[in-house]
Amino acid sequence: QVRLVESGGGSVNTGESLRLSCTISGVRVNNACVGWFRQTPGKKREEFAIGMIGNAGTEYDDSMEDRVTVSRDNAENAVYLQIANMRPEDSAIYSCAADSRRTGSDGTRCFRRDFMYEHWGQGTRVTVST
């Protein structure tokens, strides 16, 4: 059974950086594509991951203006999301998700679209204060 657990959410001030963790069990992070999604207050969860990592590397949403970095630790079997220069509009529930059918290598490609991911964490809330 695949399980994803996010941690690191909470309150930050505008301009600070944030690092979230996604600890995964049931699939190795180097045998899956892992993406980070967010849902801002009053809106549906965004359809495209703001950042994604697979064996071919990372991909980010242009709207994040190079503020996002996704990395992984194969030994810890965890994926991390770092956002620099946080803004109030970054306040959201952040969720990680895994596509265990693709790796980004061996002829497969990772995608940022939400329906490509079959395993989801519960999410962690982040609030950015002015």
Side-chain angles (χ1 to χ4, degrees):
Q1 183 179 358
V2 179
R3 185 165 181 249
L4 297 87
V5 179
E6 301 92 342
S7 61
S11 296
V12 297
N13 295 318
T14 298
E16 294 182 340
S17 295
L18 174 77
R19 186 178 187 244
L20 303 178
S21 301
C22 175
T23 302
I24 302 175
S25 58
V27 65
R28 302 300 304 173
V29 293
N30 54 355
N31 282 333
C33 304
V34 179
W36 282 95
F37 294 81
R38 67 182 184 180
Q39 181 176 7
T40 53
K43 295 186 178 180
K44 294 171 51 179
R45 187 183 62 210
E46 295 177 6
E47 294 178 338
F48 291 88
I50 59 172
M52 175 276 296
I53 189 166
N55 287 346
T58 53
E59 188 175 324
Y60 302 107
D61 194 297
D62 290 341
S63 68
M64 297 304 294
E65 302 173 353
D66 299 327
R67 297 188 294 123
V68 173
T69 303
V70 177
S71 59
R72 73 187 187 192
D73 185 324
N74 292 344
E76 295 293 325
N77 212 46
V79 175
Y80 307 98
L81 171 72
Q82 184 157 344
I83 305 177
N85 191 21
M86 293 287 285
R87 305 167 181 171
E89 55 264 36
D90 293 321
S91 297
I93 297 173
Y94 287 78
S95 300
C96 59
D99 174 3
S100 61
R101 298 160 297 184
R102 298 170 182 83
T103 65
S105 58
D106 299 328
T108 65
R109 179 193 163 189
C110 295
F111 296 88
R112 290 195 297 116
R113 187 63 197 268
D114 57 352
F115 60 66
M116 302 302 288
Y117 294 81
E118 74 270 39
H119 307 290
W120 290 81
Q122 291 297 310
T124 185
R125 185 179 298 274
V126 174
T127 302
V128 184
S129 303
T130 57

